[in-house]
Amino acid sequence: MPKENNLQKILTERLLSPVGKGLGDVSLQPSIGSTNELGWNLLNEQVSLPVAVLSQSRVQHNLRWMESFISTYGLKLAPHGKTTMSPALFHQQLDHGAWGITLATAPQVQAGYYFGVRRVIMANQLVGRANMAIISRLLQNPEFEFFVIVDSAANVEQLGQFFAQAGQRLNLLLELGVEGGRTGVRDEQSRVAVLSAIARYPESLALAGIEVYEGVLKDEASIREFLRRAVHELMALEAHSLLTAERIILTGAGSAWFDLVAEEWTGLDLGRPLDIILRPGCYLTHDVGIYKAAEARIHASNPVARSMQSSLLPALQLWAYVLSIPEPGLAILGLGKRDAAFDAGLPIPAMHYRPGTEAPVVAPADWQLTAMMDQHAFMKIAPDADLQVGDMLVLDISHPCLTFDKWRQLLVVDDSFTVINAVETFF
């Protein structure tokens, strides 16, 4: 592990990988911190395509937007880091008021810790001795604050025994679930079994509160009912003196329904200090697909979002060359499943640029991706479309999580498409 005072500095001193994709000439292997000195500009063809880029101005806008939304409600934010798995972006979120970072696996927690993240919610079960050993080692640092979810007596027993042997105390969050959903206790019998198991390990396990993931539900009424169930459960735990951790937490909210969580939980009074923590992660880069649709609903119904008079902006785009126009009405792009998410819709052509012209222009609305292979995308165009081999397409995406995990390095650009930074991912 790096020394504590070098944890953030090491991010900028790391070298760009010369064998990575989506870079310019890295024969000198510059450090990430000196990327802005290279003078790369996408319009000047100084970066190899395909490339994934982040708009600096839009990322900053989204950071400020969510910081304002959360603070208006008086809540706290622990954005889900699995979206980007980029510690450089984690620190931007922390610098804009995030309470901590949410992660999903022990290796993800370890990666965050390595680069200076010191408060983590692991929104997943911690199962297996090797995974427990990772967390145990990190907990040797008294400045590291960690919470993990449980939903079965079997898992609680495993955790209790392991951390008792380690001489450590682990903070737990009871996860509530719904029938047909993902993890989480479904019924009273399971709830009682989990709580009884926790009570058997008072020295090694501390119950800190309640966790939910409301995104498994698809309509507002059922989500609100689920969130109210979480409040009722938290109050019951407090009434029976079962909350034994130093910090008490109520946490939920993915990227699609965080407004409902804020509305339902704001103002909750437990009679002692309580951290109500929302966990959206995709707000950082947003998209033009599933999260754009969610945002439209939020702005139509949430008074705080409407009062802010601005929206989240799509900040992650992909650039690709036209490789071939093998027949009228069809263009083949140099971009595929290795580069872009496709689970929630194919990338959408946003801009078209011909090298040597002044600036990108809006892509015609009838240019549509119809299929992707590993390294190729099929784009339907008009038979007489003004498109040539060597032209560039700028594409928006749906579901940023599954685009980020296809890139070890992403470039950050200013509004003139000059590269001003780079960020690494650690999936």
Side-chain angles (χ1 to χ4, degrees):
M1 295 287 176
K3 292 183 179 180
E4 201 77 14
N5 59 357
N6 290 330
L7 286 167
Q8 293 191 47
K9 183 180 178 183
I10 196 174
L11 285 167
T12 60
E13 292 182 344
R14 291 175 61 88
L15 300 179
L16 285 172
S17 170
V19 295
K21 62 180 179 177
L23 298 174
D25 179 9
V26 290
S27 57
L28 299 178
Q29 204 172 7
S31 69
I32 288 176
S34 64
T35 308
N36 62 329
E37 300 172 7
L38 298 172
W40 295 342
N41 186 284
L42 272 67
L43 304 187
N44 294 337
E45 296 193 89
Q46 293 168 310
V47 172
S48 170
L49 305 189
V51 63
V53 300
L54 297 170
S55 163
Q56 174 75 356
S57 61
R58 291 190 167 200
V59 167
Q60 290 299 310
H61 167 88
N62 293 344
L63 286 165
R64 292 190 297 268
W65 192 97
M66 187 58 74
E67 183 179 18
S68 178
F69 181 90
I70 292 291
S71 64
T72 299
Y73 274 105
L75 305 178
K76 294 184 178 179
L77 176 68
H80 213 317
K82 70 176 176 60
T83 298
T84 69
M85 273 314 296
S86 176
L89 296 176
F90 296 171
H91 282 290
Q92 290 190 40
Q93 292 170 305
L94 292 167
D95 290 343
H96 282 78
W99 170 92
I101 298 294
T102 298
L103 293 162
T105 68
Q108 288 181 7
V109 175
Q110 181 172 245
Y113 180 94
Y114 186 92
F115 292 107
V117 175
R118 290 294 178 264
R119 185 182 284 145
V120 170
I121 294 174
M122 183 171 151
N124 207 350
Q125 281 68 22
L126 179 61
V127 175
R129 291 186 65 85
N131 290 323
M132 295 178 196
I134 289 173
I135 300 304
S136 176
R137 177 167 50 83
L138 302 184
L139 287 172
Q140 292 173 12
N141 181 351
E143 295 183 2
F144 180 57
E145 193 172 2
F146 178 78
F147 302 83
V148 67
I149 66 176
V150 292
D151 71 348
S152 71
N155 186 209
V156 171
E157 290 285 349
Q158 295 161 4
L159 294 170
Q161 292 174 19
F162 184 96
F163 285 93
Q165 291 173 2
Q168 295 171 313
R169 199 168 192 230
L170 185 69
N171 291 319
L172 305 181
L173 298 169
L174 175 65
E175 182 179 35
L176 305 183
V178 296
E179 197 69 31
R182 199 167 62 187
T183 52
V185 294
R186 304 300 206 251
D187 52 41
E188 181 65 13
Q189 182 178 0
S190 299
R191 170 190 172 277
V192 170
V194 171
L195 295 176
S196 297
I198 294 172
R200 287 194 287 273
Y201 296 92
E203 300 301 320
S204 57
L205 301 177
L207 184 58
I210 296 293
E211 184 273 347
V212 300
Y213 172 56
E214 75 293 337
V216 295
L217 298 168
K218 303 305 178 186
D219 66 273
E220 180 175 338
S222 60
I223 289 172
R224 289 189 185 275
E225 180 182 358
F226 186 37
L227 296 172
R228 291 166 187 169
R229 174 187 162 199
V231 171
H232 176 79
E233 178 63 33
L234 185 71
M235 301 295 282
L237 293 176
E238 174 65 9
H240 290 87
S241 301
L242 296 177
L243 298 173
T244 56
E246 293 182 9
R247 185 188 298 274
I248 308 305
I249 286 175
L250 176 62
T251 179
S255 296
W257 299 95
F258 61 84
D259 61 313
L260 299 191
V261 181
E263 291 171 11
E264 288 292 332
W265 289 354
T266 294
L268 175 62
D269 184 3
L270 194 65
R272 61 164 160 157
L274 169 67
D275 290 321
I276 300 177
I277 302 166
L278 275 57
R279 308 193 310 269
C282 295
Y283 76 90
L284 186 67
T285 60
H286 199 46
D287 71 5
V288 299
I290 53 177
Y291 294 117
K292 180 180 180 181
E295 184 199 36
R297 178 196 59 76
I298 291 170
H299 272 265
S301 60
N302 182 269
V304 171
R306 285 199 306 272
S307 70
M308 292 167 65
Q309 299 182 341
S310 66
S311 303
L312 293 169
L313 300 174
L316 171 62
Q317 291 183 312
L318 300 167
W319 290 58
Y321 281 118
V322 176
L323 299 184
S324 176
I325 305 179
E327 61 191 60
L330 174 65
I332 305 297
L333 308 184
L335 170 133
K337 293 181 179 179
R338 304 286 183 173
D339 309 302
F342 53 91
D343 64 309
L346 297 178
I348 299 172
M351 293 187 293
H352 168 220
Y353 179 69
R354 180 161 297 156
T357 60
E358 184 175 352
V361 297
V362 175
D366 62 347
W367 292 7
Q368 295 181 349
L369 267 63
T370 59
M372 288 202 305
M373 301 176 73
D374 280 359
Q375 313 289 171
H376 299 88
F378 294 68
M379 187 172 75
K380 183 180 70 173
I381 58 175
D384 59 350
D386 181 18
L387 192 66
Q388 300 177 5
V389 170
D391 285 1
M392 298 178 178
L393 268 293
V394 185
L395 301 112
D396 289 323
I397 53 98
S398 179
H399 200 186
C401 300
L402 295 188
T403 295
F404 269 103
D405 71 1
K406 300 177 187 303
W407 296 86
R408 302 288 76 78
Q409 300 165 129
L410 294 89
L411 300 182
V412 181
V413 299
D414 64 16
D415 292 340
S416 65
F417 307 109
T418 295
V419 176
I420 58 174
N421 200 355
V423 298
E424 289 183 283
T425 65
F426 295 87
F427 285 95

